[in-house]
Amino acid sequence: MSMSSKAGCCGVTSAQCHLLLEVERRVRTSVTELAAALELDKSTLSRTVDAAVRAGLVDRVVDPRSRRRQVVRLTEAGQRTADQVNRLCDDSYTRLFDFVPTGKRALVMEAVELLAQAMRLNRTDPGAAWCGDPREQTP
């Protein structure tokens, strides 16, 4: 089951799910910081935040220390939804890991860490960004 389908089970879109989990991780953060963390442009993220505010999942308030900064934080409903998504994902990954033979689990964990690191590096490599049909790609 994908993160998208888990989010749907919790009544939020995939974009809102990512937003909630990132806000939960950061506790109080700005729209600019969230946009950078989620690798989205600020206007795209602002629309997602607006929808989450309307749904009662996050609050967006002016930071009293810097009136130009908007702080985003989870509401009680947002925290409950984030908790629900986390539980569903944890359960799903635990069940998936149960299919890996006990003697191979350390190897799988090492491979997942390497893959995650490669994905992070790939995102920051300007030459790696390419969209389209792979048959159209030139060497």
Side-chain angles (χ1 to χ4, degrees), residues 70-128:
Q70 291 185 346
V71 174
V72 179
R73 61 185 180 207
L74 292 178
T75 62
E76 286 183 30
Q79 185 63 61
R80 283 192 305 272
T81 303
D83 291 344
Q84 187 179 13
V85 170
N86 282 319
R87 276 192 308 277
L88 285 168
C89 287
D90 288 349
D91 292 348
S92 178
Y93 298 136
T94 298
R95 280 193 311 278
L96 180 64
F97 207 61
D98 286 344
F99 289 105
V100 176
T102 305
K104 302 284 185 179
R105 290 180 182 176
L107 180 64
V108 169
M109 290 304 295
E110 182 180 356
V112 168
E113 282 183 39
L114 289 171
L115 183 60
Q117 181 181 18
M119 291 169 73
R120 281 190 298 275
L121 291 171
N122 186 56
R123 281 196 314 263
T124 60
D125 179 1

Side-chain angles (χ1 to χ4, degrees), residues 44 58 68 92-93 95 104-105 128 132-133 135 138:
T44 299
V58 298
R68 294 179 53 200
S92 178
Y93 298 136
R95 280 193 311 278
K104 302 284 185 179
R105 290 180 182 176
D133 186 332
R135 294 171 291 197
T138 56

Side-chain angles (χ1 to χ4, degrees), residues 48-83:
T48 302
V49 170
D50 288 343
V53 167
R54 285 191 303 274
L57 300 171
V58 298
D59 287 328
R60 179 171 33 189
V61 296
V62 174
D63 187 338
R65 294 172 293 188
S66 171
R67 299 200 44 82
R68 294 179 53 200
R69 183 176 187 254
Q70 291 185 346
V71 174
V72 179
R73 61 185 180 207
L74 292 178
T75 62
E76 286 183 30
Q79 185 63 61
R80 283 192 305 272
T81 303
D83 291 344

